Amino acid sequence: MKVLRSICFTHNLFLHRNLSRTPVSLSSFSRHFHSSNPRFALNSLETDGTQTTPHVWTAHEGLTGGLSTSCSRQESITQGNELGSGDEADADSETERTYGKAKNANLSDVDETQKAKGNTELMSRKKASVNGSGLGDMFGNKKKGKGKTKWVCQNCGHSEVQWWGVCRSCDRSGTMESVLEVETKNRGLEYSETLARSWLPKDAGDVEPVRLIDVNRGVELTDYRIPLLGPFGSEVARVLGGGLVPGSLVLIGGDPGVGKSTLLLQMAALIAEGHNCDQPACVVYVSGEESVIQISSRAERMKIGANELYLYAGTDIEDILVKIQPLSPRVLIVDSIQTVYLKEVTGSAGGLSQVRECTSALLRFAKKTNIPVLLAGHVTKAGDIAGPRVLEHIVDAVLYLEGEKCSSHRLLRSVKNRFGSVDELGIFEMSQLGLQTVLNPSEMFLSDQNSDSEFLAGVAVAVIMDGSRAFLIEIQALCVSSSTVSRHVNGIQESRADMIISVLAKQAGLKIQENAVFLNVVSGVSLTETAGDLAIAASICSSFLEFPIPSGVAFIGEIGLGGELRMVSRMDKRVSTVAKLGYKKCIVPESAVNSLAALDLGEMEMIGCNDLKGVINTVFTKN
């Protein structure tokens, strides 16, 4: 404090000596010397023995963080805000008034109006200081918003504030990646609402509760779904639950090159041709991965020439919805969701926030305009659709297009469907003209059996269900007396195979413990249900006894630990499928013969057995 007092005292003496010579330096020095205790700055500047010129100082207030201006007399407040003469009213005088510095002026020439004006300006400066205009605002050091770094799981979208080796939501390792989130206003939802509202009439916002019985009044049944006709359309409509629902959002996922774009282009052409209505319907196919010329060349190869099919290459959701509004399409197709973006949403196309907000925007567009939207989605290495897991919760239906690289067959499955069953399955074959419907799906899994050759020993036919469809698959077995490997299975649960082999050894009396057993399901199909137990046992017996199973025989049934045969679900559907494919005999549990006696099976004979010994005596006995 002593040092501070000496500085203020020296400062006052210096101002006293140079006041009459350099009036401008008064304001200059008073800006840089401040006192935290005003009582040491109350000394008058006496030039002729009387206090004629008041002293003005600026002090820093610790509570408010601002600067306050004070003077030795109340009358000098006006002096600190008024000019000495009219010739000095320039920009420098305004700066001096801001800091509250006084100049030489005669107090007697100041009237009441000028005093009131000065008091008003001083009070406004003090109020601004209290409201936070402190030293930080004076020098421009304002606090700005900073970005936040988060660690986001690329598999499920779970976020953490710090890095973890394993995602605590999905328990996957190596999926946490850092994402910088800048604190900006996200207007994606607001903007998508504005775009969707522009399609509706002006009074569309007046929504009121409606009774259930009044919702569908006056609506025909044909308006509930957009039908897809023809063999291809019927196969797709089967998976969708009967057709495309207006206002729905459908996501189609699959591996790269499996045929997602081909499937969507064929659906677009089928709707645009207008076979299901009086006139063709407009369909817009938007691609963010291919140009219009590339899409046109593929359509030409597939012999597609629909006049009402429009192609557009773009990735901006705003631009897409604006451009297609004059067309009023019946269906909108976006290929793919990972390539589009919203300008008002942070992040690049394909990011977590962009994929989520773009899907939400298209969902609101579909619901408010009643236009169905079809989306194509990429999948990750694990086989899941790329992007946050919430993406599959937003859409109405999720379809997967599956297929092996070495095979031309494609399977269209429904894993989520709000308007139909998820048990349906569509089967296609990729050709030069696109995806073609497979009329007999069992041909995919069956080989040609032209004769009862000894080389066909160990082959049995099982009937499995996938959704509501029955398929016939081949199960192969090989029993070798000397091998370095005791057992190997492919396409069958290893525990299930061990149980069946043990039951054959114990209940049927086959000594196969010393043999190596190899089991395989043809075409890479995974057998997960128990309906194939009887076919597995029959193939093992055929290979062990070296007795080929006659062609035209199928097996349906579950095996218990006692060697007994048990019923499985949907026996009628399985047996009817075997009869339609022209098989002569079907080995089933004895209890199924009586329950299925009313079925019209044509020339096929249904043989019932109680246990494995009865099956061996029936199949492997020469007549």
Side-chain angles (χ1 to χ4, degrees):
M1 279 312 283
K2 292 182 179 181
V3 176
L4 185 59
R5 293 177 183 178
S6 62
I7 292 175
C8 295
F9 181 72
T10 307
H11 170 55
N12 293 336
L13 289 179
F14 182 77
L15 292 177
H16 174 69
R17 295 176 181 177
N18 297 278
L19 182 62
S20 59
R21 291 179 294 179
T22 57
V24 179
S25 62
L26 173 64
S27 60
S28 176
F29 280 105
S30 62
R31 295 177 187 173
H32 298 283
F33 289 89
H34 307 292
S35 174
S36 59
N37 194 345
R39 67 187 185 89
F40 297 106
L42 293 177
N43 299 326
S44 302
L45 298 179
E46 299 178 0
T47 57
D48 53 355
T50 60
Q51 185 177 358
T52 59
T53 304
H55 184 71
V56 180
W57 70 90
T58 304
H60 177 265
E61 296 183 358
L63 294 177
T64 61
L67 300 176
S68 62
T69 305
S70 304
C71 57
S72 59
R73 291 185 305 187
Q74 180 66 26
E75 290 83 5
S76 62
I77 297 177
T78 307
Q79 186 179 3
N81 296 279
E82 297 296 330
L83 294 175
S85 60
D87 297 337
E88 297 178 356
D90 51 7
D92 293 338
S93 63
E94 183 65 24
T95 305
E96 293 179 7
R97 285 200 304 272
T98 304
Y99 288 92
K101 298 300 181 289
K103 287 190 176 182
N104 261 341
N106 191 2
L107 294 178
S108 60
D109 297 336
V110 180
D111 53 11
E112 295 297 331
T113 303
Q114 291 173 332
K115 289 182 180 180
K117 183 179 179 181
N119 291 332
T120 304
E121 293 180 0
L122 182 59
M123 293 301 295
S124 63
R125 286 198 300 271
K126 289 185 176 181
K127 184 177 181 180
S129 175
V130 173
N131 290 336
S133 58
L135 292 176
D137 295 339
M138 177 184 297
F139 296 102
N141 297 329
K142 296 182 180 180
K143 185 177 180 181
K144 298 181 180 179
K146 297 182 180 180
K148 249 198 275 187
T149 302
K150 287 187 177 181
W151 296 89
V152 182
C153 177
Q154 300 302 311
N155 179 54
C156 64
H158 178 70
S159 61
E160 293 284 350
V161 295
Q162 61 180 353
W163 180 83
W164 294 92
V166 178
C167 177
R168 298 197 288 182
S169 177
C170 62
D171 294 333
R172 296 209 178 186
S173 60
T175 59
M176 302 296 291
E177 295 185 5
S178 60
V179 177
L180 180 63
E181 294 186 355
V182 183
E183 296 179 357
T184 56
K185 187 177 180 181
N186 189 342
R187 298 180 57 195
L189 302 179
E190 176 185 351
Y191 190 76
S192 63
E193 288 283 351
T194 306
L195 285 178
R197 198 178 298 114
S198 63
W199 286 67
L200 304 176
K202 293 183 178 179
D203 58 347
D206 301 335
V207 180
E208 296 179 356
V210 183
R211 292 189 302 175
L212 177 61
I213 60 176
D214 296 336
V215 174
N216 298 328
R217 181 173 297 176
V219 180
E220 300 181 0
L221 295 178
T222 56
D223 297 334
Y224 290 154
R225 293 183 183 269
I226 300 176
L228 303 174
L229 304 181
F232 171 81
S234 300
E235 199 74 4
V236 178
R238 175 201 297 269
V239 183
L240 289 173
L244 190 60
V245 178
S248 61
L249 184 62
V250 181
L251 177 64
I252 300 178
D255 295 328
V258 74
K260 299 186 297 297
S261 301
T262 302
L263 175 66
L264 290 174
L265 187 59
Q266 287 186 249
M267 293 180 62
L270 189 64
I271 299 174
E273 289 174 357
H275 295 305
N276 54 351
C277 56
D278 298 336
Q279 57 183 1
C282 174
V283 179
V284 179
Y285 184 95
V286 180
S287 177
E289 301 175 347
E290 299 177 283
S291 63
V292 175
I293 299 178
Q294 293 173 336
I295 303 173
S296 177
S297 62
R298 188 170 73 250
E300 184 178 356
R301 173 176 55 84
M302 298 167 57
K303 308 299 182 182
I304 295 177
N307 295 329
E308 293 299 321
L309 178 57
Y310 291 83
L311 307 179
Y312 183 71
T315 56
D316 187 2
I317 293 292
E318 171 190 354
D319 180 64
I320 292 172
L321 297 183
V322 170
K323 293 293 179 59
I324 69 174
Q325 183 174 3
L327 299 175
S328 296
R330 190 171 189 183
V331 177
L332 172 63
I333 298 176
V334 179
D335 184 13
S336 64
I337 188 60
Q338 281 82 15
T339 59
V340 296
Y341 67 94
L342 274 171
K343 291 181 179 179
E344 302 294 335
V345 179
T346 58
S348 58
L352 298 177
S353 58
Q354 283 287 356
V355 171
R356 181 175 58 250
E357 297 302 335
C358 290
T359 306
S360 301
L362 292 174
L363 176 66
R364 283 185 294 276
F365 168 78
K367 299 303 179 185
K368 291 193 174 184
T369 60
N370 209 31
I371 297 176
V373 180
L374 302 178
L375 305 176
H378 299 300
V379 297
T380 60
K381 294 181 180 179
D384 301 327
I385 294 181
R389 196 68 180 181
V390 71
L391 177 62
E392 300 185 21
H393 298 287
I394 295 176
V395 300
D396 297 317
V398 180
L399 310 181
Y400 274 92
L401 187 62
E402 305 171 356
E404 299 292 336
K405 294 183 179 180
C406 57
S407 176
S408 60
H409 292 93
R410 301 291 186 267
L411 303 179
L412 184 63
R413 300 179 183 271
S414 174
V415 297
K416 175 188 176 181
N417 193 355
R418 291 174 178 169
F419 314 111
S421 175
V422 294
D423 293 334
E424 297 296 339
L425 177 69
I427 303 177
F428 306 92
E429 184 178 4
M430 182 65 72
S431 64
Q432 186 70 17
L433 299 178
L435 295 173
Q436 304 295 328
T437 305
V438 177
L439 299 178
N440 184 13
S442 297
E443 294 178 352
M444 301 167 49
F445 314 112
L446 297 177
S447 61
D448 296 331
Q449 298 182 6
N450 299 324
S451 62
D452 297 338
S453 172
E454 60 181 3
F455 298 103
L456 295 178
V459 177
V461 177
V463 183
I464 63 173
M465 296 291 298
D466 196 328
S468 61
R469 307 181 71 166
F471 299 93
L472 274 65
I473 61 173
E474 284 186 2
I475 297 178
Q476 299 175 339
L478 178 64
C479 296
V480 183
S481 58
S482 60
S483 176
T484 57
V485 180
S486 61
R487 191 169 299 155
H488 181 75
V489 296
N490 183 23
I492 303 173
Q493 296 179 358
E494 190 171 356
S495 60
R496 198 74 187 173
D498 293 340
M499 187 204 73
I500 295 174
I501 294 174
S502 300
V503 171
L504 285 174
K506 177 68 175 178
Q507 305 298 340
L510 298 180
K511 299 180 180 181
I512 59 178
Q513 293 87 351
E514 299 178 357
N515 296 316
V517 180
F518 297 87
L519 293 174
N520 177 50
V521 181
V522 178
S523 300
V525 181
S526 296
L527 183 60
T528 57
E529 58 176 337
T530 59
D533 290 354
L534 186 55
I536 296 174
S539 63
I540 295 175
C541 292
S542 175
S543 178
F544 180 77
L545 299 174
E546 297 182 356
F547 193 101
I549 298 176
S551 60
V553 178
F555 299 87
I556 307 173
E558 179 184 351
I559 297 178
L561 293 178
E564 74 278 7
L565 301 186
R566 297 178 176 272
M567 288 271 291
V568 293
S569 62
R570 300 185 181 181
M571 284 291 298
D572 54 344
K573 185 74 174 180
R574 300 174 195 264
V575 174
S576 299
T577 303
V578 174
K580 290 179 181 178
L581 294 177
Y583 278 71
K584 300 177 182 179
K585 296 180 180 180
C586 183
I587 310 300
V588 297
E590 184 68 33
S591 57
V593 176
N594 298 329
S595 60
L596 301 178
L599 290 178
D600 184 13
L601 303 178
E603 298 179 357
M604 192 193 75
E605 180 184 1
M606 188 167 49
I607 302 175
C609 299
N610 290 323
D611 51 18
L612 286 176
K613 289 183 179 180
V615 174
I616 294 175
N617 295 330
T618 303
V619 178
F620 302 103
T621 301
K622 294 184 179 181
N623 297 329

